[in-house]
Amino acid sequence: MGRIQLLDCTLRDGGYLNDWNFGQGTIQRIRQALEHADVDILELGFLRDEPYDKDRAVFNCMDRVKESIGKKHGRTKYAVMAEMANPFPLELLEDADAESADIIRVIVWKTKRTETGDEVDALQEGFSYCKGIIEKGYQLCVQPARVDQYSDAEFEAMLRQFSELSPMAIYVVDSWGTQTPEALLIYMN
């Protein structure tokens, strides 16, 4: 069994409170403090196709991520989050190198609504996107949103499908705090 690794997502998940506008100095201080604490994985923010603002933990290209990382620290791995609700275009994503983020975590959805309001299966689109992340040389983490929407059989099928990509991790996520500990353990099992 592998060792437990600590992922800190303060700069990404915490951004839901302030629209990721921490300020450049605060972003750097948080990053440095987490590096000093030797967290295993430091998530720097979102990867989105939108104008860049140095005061926000949102990046529009890997060069901006590299600027935020500066010199990599010890064994810390650096991650950014992409989301299938508004995917960062793979054609804009540079191939991974020693200075870029090590990991891209991807939020995938079971279904999505089309412009006409129809609900369609979104997992194949998420799978193809995640495959593109791997092909660009990044380590992949898959975060299926709202695990509570899956039946047991659907969840197992999703796990089998995404496991074909050999991701670093597939998470069990209680997106809005609606799951009981007992329900989350069912998904973990």
Side-chain angles (χ1 to χ4, degrees), residues 6 12 18-19 27 30-32 34 42 54 57 82 85 105 122 124-125 145 155-156 160 165 173 179 181 186:
L6 177 63
R12 198 263 320 152
N18 62 3
D19 192 35
I27 290 169
I30 290 171
R31 179 188 54 77
Q32 290 167 353
L34 292 168
L42 194 164
K54 64 180 174 29
R105 297 188 338 119
Q124 188 54 47
E125 180 183 9
F155 194 75
E156 288 176 25
R160 276 193 297 280
L165 299 174
V173 179
Q179 296 291 298
I186 291 170

Side-chain angles (χ1 to χ4, degrees), residues 65-79:
V65 175
K66 291 176 184 181
E67 289 171 8
S68 183
I69 294 171
K71 184 177 184 283
K72 289 190 174 181
H73 175 82
R75 63 181 176 85
T76 298
K77 291 186 177 190
Y78 298 83

Side-chain angles (χ1 to χ4, degrees), residues 2 4 8 25 30 35 37 52 61 84 96 101 110-111 115 128 131 135 148-149 167 169 180:
I4 293 174
D8 185 280
I30 290 171
E35 288 171 339
Y52 177 68
C61 66
M84 289 307 302
K110 178 184 170 192
T111 60
E115 292 177 8
S128 296
K131 185 176 180 188
E135 289 169 352
D148 62 327
Q149 65 186 318
T180 65

Side-chain angles (χ1 to χ4, degrees), residues 77-149:
K77 291 186 177 190
Y78 298 83
V80 289
M81 175 73 81
E83 54 192 333
M84 289 307 302
N86 181 19
F88 184 81
L90 287 176
E91 62 272 11
L92 298 180
L93 181 62
E94 300 93 343
D95 289 346
D97 63 34
E99 298 172 345
S100 63
D102 304 291
I103 302 162
I104 298 180
R105 297 188 338 119
V106 181
I107 301 170
V108 297
W109 290 87
K110 178 184 170 192
T111 60
K112 71 175 185 178
R113 292 217 182 271
T114 64
E115 292 177 8
T116 61
D118 297 323
E119 195 168 276
V120 296
D121 183 351
L123 281 178
Q124 188 54 47
E125 180 183 9
F127 180 83
S128 296
Y129 187 83
C130 288
K131 185 176 180 188
I133 297 288
I134 295 282
E135 289 169 352
K136 295 276 187 171
Y138 296 92
Q139 292 179 329
L140 171 70
C141 293
V142 180
Q143 182 167 310
R146 291 198 46 236
V147 296
D148 62 327
Q149 65 186 318

